[in-house]
């Protein structure tokens, strides 16, 4: 009964949500697409030549947005789940916490990446603290991967949740990147603790 009410509420929320309607109208696979559009408007890190890695890419909204901008660059998307094909987007089905993934990604285009974006979120358990902690772990894993596959002026952008792990992640980002900012796009639901961290310029000798 409880589950029924909460799924009814979810459906109601989806119907009344401007960004859900817009994503359907514009053919995006997720409402998250609008977060990347806003983040790129704010920080301007994706251009027509960008070589981009999209971590936690499924169902593909961010890859669709990147593909519209990137004309001469390349896109590699990675998710633990299978992703329906997007033209001109390469895809690897893998867990980013698996230690073999680094080599696969690093050698994929035989070039370093200009941008790594990560919208990875752990499967929700209903326990908000645990979920935010697990997503924090995945953000750390994405950051570790990013600093090794990015070119020296590269950009790492990732979702994380405000909460106990936020400070730890922010401090770690400041150790590895020259410029670090956080930003919550308008399209991110107000009630969500989600925020995005934007990092530019890798300290390669750290
Ligand atoms: C919020 S969705 C991403 C939405 C995507 N940015 C879009 O616009 O369509 C989060 C994704 O992270 C993926 N994910 C979770 N844990 C992962 C892991 N360990 N390795 C790779 N992907 C993972 C999930 O499968 C899910 O598809």
């Amino acid at each position: 009964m409880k589950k029924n009410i909460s799924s009814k509420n979810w459906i109601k929320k989806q119907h009344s949500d401007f960004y859900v309607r817009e994503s359907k109208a514009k053919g995006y696979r997720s409402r998250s697409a609008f977060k990347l559009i806003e983040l790129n408007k704010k920080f301007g890190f994706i251009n027509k030549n960008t070589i981009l890695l999209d971590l936690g890419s499924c169902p593909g909204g961010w890859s669709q947005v990147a593909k519209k901008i990137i004309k001469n660059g390349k896109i590699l998307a990675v998710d633990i789940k299978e992703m329906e094909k997007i033209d001109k987007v390469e895809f690897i089905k893998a867990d980013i916490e698996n230690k073999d993934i680094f080599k696969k990604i690093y050698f994929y285009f035989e070039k370093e990446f200009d941008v790594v974006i990560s919208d990875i979120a752990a499967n929700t358990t209903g326990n908000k603290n645990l979920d935010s902690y697990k997503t924090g772990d995945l953000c750390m894993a994405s950051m570790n991967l990013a600093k090794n596959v990015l070119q020296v002026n590269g950009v790492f952008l990732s979702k994380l949740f405000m909460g106990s792990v936020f400070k730890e992640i922010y401090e770690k980002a400041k150790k590895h990147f020259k410029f670090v900012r956080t930003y919550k796009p308008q399209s991110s639901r107000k009630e969500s603790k989600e925020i995005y961290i934007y990092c530019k310029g890798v300290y390669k000798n750290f």
Side-chain angles (χ1 to χ4, degrees):
M1 180 67 181
K2 215 175 176 186
K3 201 172 175 195
N4 248 342
I5 291 169
S6 74
S7 47
K8 273 185 192 155
N9 283 344
W10 185 84
I11 291 166
K12 208 169 144 194
K13 205 156 93 184
Q14 288 290 96
H15 281 307
S16 62
D17 186 304
F18 169 79
Y19 293 104
V20 171
R21 281 186 271 120
E22 275 297 283
S23 57
K24 288 210 174 97
K26 299 212 157 88
Y28 288 124
R29 293 178 184 181
S30 65
R31 80 185 283 296
S32 296
F34 293 98
K35 299 178 198 167
L36 185 61
I37 292 170
E38 272 188 67
L39 286 156
N40 195 42
K41 218 175 246 172
K42 166 104 183 136
F43 296 110
F45 52 99
I46 307 174
N47 63 52
K48 64 180 190 321
N49 300 314
T50 301
I51 299 181
L52 179 137
L53 174 64
D54 180 7
L55 298 174
S57 57
C58 222
W62 279 23
S63 284
Q64 288 178 303
V65 169
K67 197 198 102 172
K68 280 197 178 175
I69 306 167
I70 299 172
K71 299 295 170 204
N72 308 319
K74 292 173 192 297
I75 303 172
L76 175 62
V78 179
D79 202 289
I80 202 163
K81 290 191 296 221
E82 200 59 65
M83 184 172 86
E84 197 184 314
K85 175 79 186 139
I86 299 173
D87 187 39
K88 298 200 179 101
V89 174
E90 300 291 324
F91 177 72
I92 300 176
K93 182 175 181 245
D95 180 344
I96 67 128
E97 292 192 291
N98 183 321
K99 60 178 179 354
D100 296 332
I101 190 65
F102 165 72
K103 278 192 198 146
K104 273 197 197 159
I105 290 175
Y106 190 74
F107 293 110
Y108 201 88
F109 294 132
E110 293 174 340
K111 271 184 170 178
E112 287 176 318
F113 288 85
D114 303 310
V115 170
V116 177
I117 53 180
S118 171
D119 199 23
I120 287 193
N123 283 336
T124 46
T125 60
N127 176 334
K128 287 198 172 159
N129 282 339
L130 181 64
D131 293 344
S132 105
Y133 192 82
K134 278 172 68 189
T135 297
D137 266 358
L138 288 164
C139 176
M140 290 276 204
S142 304
M143 194 188 299
N144 281 333
L145 194 55
K147 70 183 169 54
N148 290 311
V149 301
L150 278 171
Q151 52 109 330
V152 71
N153 289 315
V155 164
F156 170 62
L157 174 103
S158 177
K159 186 215 296 285
L160 74 153
F161 290 107
M162 296 302 288
S164 56
V165 281
F166 172 80
K167 196 164 175 271
E168 195 186 329
I169 294 172
Y170 190 80
E171 291 305 320
K172 186 179 158 120
K174 287 190 84 159
K175 276 190 189 139
H176 293 293
F177 295 91
K178 296 169 191 164
F179 177 87
V180 179
R181 291 286 180 278
T182 55
Y183 185 66
K184 184 167 173 81
Q186 288 210 333
S187 47
S188 172
R189 296 186 202 273
K190 304 249 171 325
E191 68 275 20
S192 162
K193 289 195 166 187
E194 162 190 88
I195 190 164
Y196 287 83
I197 187 163
Y198 171 87
C199 313
K200 183 171 166 59
V202 190
Y203 290 120
K204 282 282 177 185
N205 53 357
F206 183 76

